[in-house]
Amino acid sequence: MILEPLPPKVLSVRRIPNADPAVLLAYGADPARHRSLGLVTCDQDDPTYVALDEATKHARVDVVFAKSFWAGSKHASGKLSGEILGVLAGSDPDEVDEGLAAFLRCIEHDACFFAANDDASIAVFPHVISSLGRYLSAEAGLEPGQSMAYLVAPPIEGTVALDAALKGADVRAVKIFPPPSPTNFAAAWLTGSLDACEAAAVAYAEAVVAVARGPIERLPGRR
Amino acid sequence: MKEFVALPSRTRTLMAELRSRLGDEGPLPPAPPIPVIAPPPVRVFPSPRSRSRFAEQAAAHTTAMIGIGHVGTRYATDVVLQFQAELAVAHEAVHTVLPEDWAASKGLLSLKSRVADHHQFLLRPDLGRRLDEASLGKLRSSAKRGVDVQPILADGLSAVATMGSGMTLLEAFSAECSKRGWSVGTPMCARFARVWLEDEIGQEVGAKVAVILLGERPGLGTGDGLSAYLVYDPRIGKTDGDRNMMSNIHLRGTPPVEAASRLAVLTGAMLEQRTSGVPLDLSPLVAQLGDAGGTGYRAPQKRVRLVETS
């Protein structure tokens, strides 16, 4: 079944209420402002980035660390590793709790990969962020509150689909991540009005499905 | 307060639409139920979670904001609102100016310090401690001299308080003094006055005791409090060590009429011992002075709620 949601699996959620300053510094937090950490691992990295950004909209937390692991969750270092470690930092445990609750809400109900073919061996992430939080807006160089299409697919699908998305809607590319990403995907961030971002995401997903259905194009003059 | 329901995922809706457009109509697995986001906490102080018997008992005896609980590292919403409302009352009092004709309308001798305007009054306490030339002339020409007690009403840091219960206190105090057989000076009112202005006035009229009744620095929620400062043998150069004072003269503290009799007791002690301030021995008078004696039991107080949160 195509375009069926592939729900991300949260593999671990842990809190460090009063983190050691050395740990705070090593993971990019500022001991002057941050004291508590919330750590999550998940088997899908891009929904996690989106959900971490969502957390910054609901609590005074900063995403101090978020990195994907090489080659993705199928090659994880352990069963709790997944393909990403995300770290929220806040001034106190209550803030971190609130941030984690928003994170889990988003990852359970919103951000997810979709199957691009029937056996889900190709996945696409055509996500629309209607209003950016403080984390992704800073990463993208946009303002918090702007809309962004967060598009991810495997290398060939992602490349063809990115072109389709840019042509199919009134959006501009903010950042393009050609393959291979740490998890061997291709990604792009596009911005425009919310409608335009939605149209871009739909065009992107449609193109990924099209490539998945016909990966080898017949060339002119060959039979 | 209302609960919030998270919006359904826009991306998932779009993909479901695209899916049926591409011809895949097979049923999707059921979506997880849309979560309800708990409303932000509105707690009433003292918050039930942080209730402690000690804090409750202590808080009952003061209007200070103690035992108010917390929500995370912050104050509860209604505490913040109450604080802001009380702070506004205090600001209002500080910025109120005593009208120029107020003293005359009450039949008081109208005096003014060397301060030119209200802004300068707040910034230059030194100017508020001396009379300007015109007032000095008025004082010399029309005030009674050589009196036992010279009461002075003044605006101080809260004209609201002076206009509120100032006259009541002045009249009650003057009556108490007359009742005890002391000569009382001309009733007067000074604008833009600081406490030490009583030194110059008392010196000019040759009073044995000068008493200045003035609006006190507003605190949270109390913009209507008066203070009284008494000094024996007023002369320019007296310090705060030479003064006795009584604060919180308002209905929730010491009511003006009760304050007047306590002030008279203090004045009596000064006239008898011929001194004031630190050297004044008040130990035999504790019973008559009430709170001013310093050891009294403080009756439970009720905070005036300025803001209601549902």
Side-chain angles (χ1 to χ4, degrees), chain A residues 1-5 60 92 94-95 105 107-112 114 118 126-128 198 201-202 205-206 209 213, chain B residues 6 8-12 14-16 18-19 21-22 24 26-29 32-35 37 49 71-74:
Chain A
M1 282 196 294
I2 60 160
L3 294 178
E4 180 186 330
R60 269 183 237 171
D92 57 83
D94 274 2
E95 293 288 6
R105 216 155 46 221
I107 211 138
E108 205 172 319
H109 297 277
D110 193 7
C112 69
F114 292 83
D118 286 332
H127 192 78
V128 180
E198 288 183 1
V202 170
E206 191 172 355
V209 171
R213 281 178 173 170
Chain B
S9 166
R10 186 70 188 131
T11 307
R12 292 191 188 192
L14 289 171
M15 290 308 125
L18 175 62
R19 183 166 177 269
R21 187 149 64 77
L22 293 176
D24 195 334
L28 284 174
I34 295 170
I37 302 172
R49 224 172 67 179
V71 180
T73 53
R74 310 190 192 97

Side-chain angles (χ1 to χ4, degrees), chain B residues 161-172:
Chain B
T162 307
M163 290 188 278
S165 50
M167 280 310 287
T168 316
L169 180 61
L170 181 70
E171 281 165 1

Side-chain angles (χ1 to χ4, degrees), chain A residues 22-44:
Chain A
V23 176
L24 289 173
L25 280 174
Y27 283 75
D30 172 8
R33 291 190 297 126
H34 301 131
R35 197 181 159 93
S36 305
L37 299 179
L39 302 95
V40 290
T41 59
C42 178
D43 70 343
Q44 294 182 9

Side-chain angles (χ1 to χ4, degrees), chain B residues 40-70:
Chain B
V42 172
R43 300 251 179 84
V44 177
F45 69 86
S47 81
R49 224 172 67 179
S50 61
R51 182 161 288 176
S52 103
R53 257 170 62 80
F54 172 74
E56 268 177 21
Q57 288 176 357
H61 288 263
T62 176
T63 53
M65 296 191 110
I66 63 171
I68 53 178
H70 62 96

